[in-house]
Amino acid sequence: MANMRRALKIGFAYTGVVVGAGFSTGQEILQFFTNNGTMSIFAILLSGLLVLFTGKWTADVGFDIKAESHVDSLLSMFGNIFGRIVDVVLAFFLYGVAVIMFAGAGFTFYESFGVAPWVGSLILIIAVYITLNLDFNRIVLALGAITPYLLAIVVIIAFINFMSPAVPFSEADQYAEPEATPLGPWWWDAITYSGFTIAVAFSFLTMMGSRSDSRKVAGWGGIIGSVVIILLMFLINNGLLARMNEVNDVELPMLLLADEIHPVLGLLLSIAMLLVIYNTAVGMLYPFLNRFSRPGSRRYKIMLPVSLILGYILSFAGFADLVGTVYPVMGYVGLLLGIAMFIKWLRLVIGKKSPH
């Protein structure tokens, strides 16, 4: 029972890191999946299977090598020279996703509450600053606490839209815009998105895995988080398909779906979106800062405010444009990580079974 609680803690925190601005607003799922029309169902199945395996591998490898940061895992998988190159690329994208979260917070505050985007982004940055001065275990608890609330809200929105769709499932392809997806064929969008997911989660999940009580707890944490992510992908995609005639015209498609049901549900979703945006911002910046400094050190205390101020300035680019530009490239980085992790995982498993 205690082990399951620990695994749930890892799984919910993992979900909290992955499910950020692009995901909770529906923009990510719309761009990578829903605009493929009815084929988006198969795309999510394919992507979900890859997310499931890579989530478990990441947590397992983190535990096995006792990673203090993602650098340990990367050097173990890629060797000293290439590992350092991937490390720099991954650190750059961790920071890039954090900037997207700042932009997403500004849009969400504006669309939901009429607050100026620059104020919304600033509120998030202050909350992130306070959180990143806490210890690691408290950060993990903060990330995991929000996941059940988001899941409940998304289930309600998706179910109501699915039961009374504006667009019947058989007609969704008429309104789909496959040319608006980042990379082309539905199956390649699916594979790349799974790569993006693992690139986002890799740093934080390896650290959570390394701090687990056992390999079993780490692995189950990765599995639980992956299953919750897949469930959310299906629910959001099906909800968006039911409103395929409208969702491409707005920045925050899930908020449109919620508001059409009832304004109170829209308010609850807005709160959920802001909370998971906060989650991902924390989940990206912590490993980024941990890569260059030790938490609590003088360097960390200087880097934290500097990175937040610079991120705030960079966040004034368009939210949807940032998602469409940064995420596909990060997907390729994640695919590389996924392949390397699979090879590392196989070696670890074979090594344990070998009598020598």
Side-chain angles (χ1 to χ4, degrees):
M1 195 69 180
N3 280 348
M4 185 50 70
R5 276 201 303 271
R6 293 187 189 103
L8 281 169
K9 180 176 149 186
I10 292 171
F12 282 170
Y14 166 31
T15 306
V17 169
V18 170
V19 179
F23 196 112
S24 62
T25 59
Q27 188 63 242
E28 242 173 73
I29 303 300
L30 176 65
Q31 288 195 26
F32 279 87
F33 297 103
T34 316
N35 267 321
N36 286 301
T38 51
M39 292 308 294
S40 61
I41 302 292
F42 298 101
I44 285 177
L45 272 174
L46 173 60
S47 191
L49 283 171
L50 294 171
V51 167
L52 184 63
F53 287 121
T54 49
K56 183 184 185 315
W57 297 337
T58 306
D60 281 351
V61 170
F63 176 80
D64 286 328
I65 66 174
K66 297 298 177 192
E68 286 297 318
S69 76
H70 69 244
V71 181
D72 301 323
S73 298
L74 293 176
L75 296 182
S76 174
M77 290 189 299
F78 293 106
N80 197 43
I81 297 172
F82 195 48
R84 295 284 177 193
I85 295 168
V86 178
D87 164 37
V88 171
V89 173
L90 184 60
F92 171 78
F93 279 114
L94 286 174
Y95 190 68
V97 174
V99 172
I100 291 173
M101 294 309 111
F102 301 154
F107 268 104
T108 306
F109 267 110
Y110 178 73
E111 292 284 338
S112 306
F113 308 108
V115 175
W118 68 269
V119 177
S121 297
L122 187 60
I123 292 169
L124 175 68
I125 282 168
I126 292 167
V128 169
Y129 176 78
I130 293 167
T131 306
L132 288 178
N133 279 296
L134 302 174
D135 65 53
F136 184 77
N137 284 329
R138 289 188 178 181
I139 291 172
V140 171
L141 280 173
L143 293 177
I146 294 156
T147 301
Y149 170 64
L150 173 71
L151 186 58
I153 298 296
V154 169
V155 166
I156 293 166
I157 295 168
F159 180 75
I160 292 172
N161 277 281
F162 186 73
M163 294 305 291
S164 56
V167 176
F169 183 74
S170 59
E171 296 175 18
D173 288 341
Q174 295 176 28
Y175 298 95
E177 298 180 9
E179 69 280 359
T181 62
L183 299 158
W186 65 267
W187 54 270
W188 188 239
D189 283 330
I191 292 170
T192 310
Y193 186 78
S194 67
F196 163 73
T197 300
I198 200 57
V200 166
F202 179 79
S203 296
F204 210 86
L205 192 51
T206 51
M207 285 191 285
M208 285 192 287
S210 73
R211 288 165 170 80
S212 297
D213 299 314
S214 69
R215 195 175 195 271
K216 187 176 180 182
V217 168
W220 271 107
I223 290 169
I224 290 166
S226 299
V227 169
V228 175
I229 291 162
I230 295 162
L231 179 60
L232 285 167
M233 287 164 68
F234 265 113
L235 289 168
I236 292 173
N237 183 65
N238 289 349
L240 295 176
L241 282 173
R243 291 288 184 276
M244 196 73 239
N245 58 329
E246 300 173 279
V247 291
N248 275 304
D249 299 326
V250 293
E251 286 270 358
L252 309 177
M254 279 298 284
L255 192 58
L256 170 74
L257 269 58
D259 283 335
E260 285 185 352
I261 297 168
H262 198 280
V264 172
L265 196 57
L267 175 64
L268 292 173
L269 179 66
S270 295
I271 294 167
M273 287 192 302
L274 287 168
L275 290 172
V276 296
I277 287 167
Y278 152 82
N279 263 8
T280 301
V282 170
M284 296 300 97
L285 272 178
Y286 182 81
F288 172 77
L289 294 169
N290 191 56
R291 162 63 187 83
F292 299 105
S293 61
R294 186 173 293 279
S297 67
R298 186 168 177 271
R299 181 187 285 189
Y300 182 92
K301 289 177 179 176
I302 294 169
M303 280 192 68
L304 175 57
V306 169
S307 62
L308 288 171
I309 291 166
L310 179 60
Y312 179 62
I313 294 165
L314 293 172
S315 72
F316 288 99
F319 172 56
D321 290 338
L322 281 168
V323 171
T325 305
V326 174
Y327 284 19
V329 180
M330 196 166 179
Y332 292 124
V333 177
L335 287 177
L336 185 64
L337 287 172
I339 293 164
M341 265 187 302
F342 177 60
I343 294 166
K344 180 69 178 176
W345 179 77
L346 272 180
R347 284 177 179 164
L348 289 166
V349 169
I350 292 165
K352 284 181 190 274
K353 287 182 179 177
S354 171
H356 305 292

